[in-house]
Amino acid sequence: TSNMFLINRHRQVGSIRSPLARLVSSTSSLSIPVPWGSIAAVQWTLGDGPYTDWVAVHGLLDNAGTFNKIIPGLPEGIRATCIDLPGHGLSSKLAAGSLYYMLDHVATVQRVKDY
């Protein structure tokens, strides 16, 4: 009976994921130009507009892919731009000798917002 429980539970979880997948209207890859190269991003559009724009920023030693399982679970009406900070994922590295300070990432997020 425990195997039957697991099979039924798997079916329930599978049916939960389907409605979430329908909410994602589109995803697109972006390359945002910056003086040192480009900032890579993935933009998720959930449901029909109008949209509330979000910028998703990953933590240290991570990249924009960290949001791939989270974003589809958000409510409709959101356009989320998940960025790779400089030197992470597909974004350009800073120039040789540059330091990666957390406060400098605020300027990167502002560049993305203004794009």
Side-chain angles (χ1 to χ4, degrees):
T1 56
S2 63
N3 286 340
M4 184 57 84
F5 172 77
L6 291 175
I7 291 170
N8 286 334
R9 184 68 181 145
H10 179 71
R11 286 184 189 142
Q12 290 171 354
V13 171
S15 67
I16 290 171
R17 289 183 185 150
S18 297
L20 293 178
R22 284 194 297 262
L23 292 177
V24 178
S25 299
S26 68
T27 60
S28 57
S29 297
L30 302 175
S31 181
I32 301 163
V34 290
W36 61 90
S38 65
I39 296 295
V42 176
Q43 191 169 69
W44 296 74
T45 305
L46 303 169
D48 297 322
Y51 300 109
T52 301
D53 287 317
W54 290 15
V55 176
V57 181
H58 61 76
L60 294 175
L61 303 175
D62 210 345
N63 61 49
T66 195
F67 300 105
N68 290 350
K69 292 185 179 181
I70 299 169
I71 298 294
L74 295 176
E76 290 189 44
I78 293 175
R79 183 173 36 229
T81 303
C82 307
I83 66 171
D84 280 331
L85 291 172
H88 296 261
L90 300 175
S91 288
S92 301
K93 293 177 176 45
L94 295 177
S98 298
L99 300 174
Y100 291 87
Y101 290 111
M102 288 303 293
L103 285 178
D104 292 335
H105 294 316
V106 174
T108 300
V109 171
Q110 185 63 47
R111 287 180 187 274
V112 170
K113 183 177 163 266
D114 292 344
Y115 179 69

